Amino acid sequence: MQLGTLLPLGDIGGQPATVREYAQAAEQIGYDFVEAPDHVLGATEASAPEPGRTGAGLFHDPFVLFGYLAGCTNKLGFSTGVLILPQRQTVLVAKQAACLDVLCGGRFRLGIGVGWNEVEFTGLNENFHNRGRRSEEQVQVMQKLWAEPHLTFKGRWHTIEDAGINPMPASRKVPVWYGGHHERTLPRSGSRSGCRWAPEAKPTGPRRPASGRPPAPPTCA
């Protein structure tokens, strides 16, 4: 069993000295890893999918953050909790994860989710409505890139023609954890070799906006 702590940027801020001291203290106390969430763009209250849920807080890019903290710690692990995978380019994420894995000595695990904020997908020029299905192929592509020096891949959303990434992870893999409580999350984690499930807490009933009407369920096919 491992014990981790979420990096509370909203409470402590994101200055270099602050996050460094937090990570070093977590390592000294005996935590196994620190976890950082991911948002690229935040919505305004007017465009938020639910009242008060904008994703507009302080979020360091996880790969940059963990690259910095890897040089400040010796054994502390790093986990994204979670990286919104389908709003990012798959090959680029595979490259970033591999580089971080090498530079931190294998202390990184990639927690992934499909997201909820359509504003981010629009701004990053990605399709919000097929993000769940697309994430399955994304994991397949990343695992192949981590394991094979060169590959040819033709899928529904990805095409790679005799190419590969360098560096590759030392173990030829990066641990992948599917995060979330959607009904498809657990089956997706079990469909790919080496993947794990990171369940998230879910309210007992649907959250209701100020109008009293239940929110529309998100599309996550």
Side-chain angles (χ1 to χ4, degrees), residues 46-58:
S47 61
E50 297 178 27
R53 194 180 192 196
T54 64
L58 171 62

Side-chain angles (χ1 to χ4, degrees), residues 15-221:
Q15 292 301 313
T18 303
V19 296
R20 180 183 69 244
E21 291 169 7
Y22 185 93
Q24 290 173 338
E27 182 175 60
Q28 184 176 9
I29 291 170
Y31 281 104
D32 296 292
F33 65 92
V34 292
E35 185 176 271
D38 168 49
H39 281 294
V40 176
L41 293 174
T44 65
E45 284 290 344
S47 61
E50 297 178 27
R53 194 180 192 196
T54 64
L58 171 62
F59 295 92
H60 279 309
D61 179 88
F63 294 111
V64 177
L65 174 65
F66 290 152
Y68 168 65
L69 294 180
C72 306
T73 55
N74 297 309
K75 61 181 181 180
L76 188 68
F78 307 105
S79 174
T80 49
V82 291
L83 187 85
I84 306 170
L85 182 61
Q87 70 181 17
R88 294 172 177 255
Q89 294 174 311
T90 308
V91 174
L92 181 57
V93 173
K95 173 78 171 186
Q96 292 170 316
C99 290
L100 179 56
D101 177 85
V102 170
L103 292 174
C104 75
R107 291 184 278 157
F108 174 60
R109 75 182 188 202
L110 181 62
I112 62 169
V114 298
W116 51 265
N117 190 357
E118 190 169 358
V119 166
E120 292 187 271
F121 285 77
T122 301
L124 292 165
N125 198 32
E126 296 292 347
N127 190 324
F128 179 75
H129 300 287
N130 66 9
R131 65 195 190 282
R133 287 170 291 165
R134 189 157 42 84
S135 71
E136 297 181 38
E137 187 172 293
Q138 286 185 285
V139 172
Q140 183 182 6
V141 171
M142 291 193 302
Q143 289 182 327
K144 288 182 176 295
L145 285 167
W146 293 329
E148 304 173 27
H150 295 88
L151 66 106
T152 296
F153 181 91
K154 180 64 176 178
R156 184 173 179 182
W157 292 286
H158 301 82
T159 300
I160 300 175
E161 297 179 348
D162 193 24
I165 61 173
N166 192 1
M168 299 168 66
S171 64
R172 296 298 186 263
K173 61 183 179 181
V174 173
V176 175
W177 290 63
Y178 279 84
H181 51 252
H182 188 273
E183 62 183 11
R184 286 292 302 153
T185 303
L186 183 55
R188 282 178 180 132
S189 68
S191 66
R192 298 301 310 164
S193 174
C195 293
R196 298 293 184 268
W197 178 41
E200 296 180 356
K202 184 179 180 181
T204 55
R207 286 188 285 181
R208 291 178 178 268
S211 65
R213 295 190 301 270
T219 302
C220 183

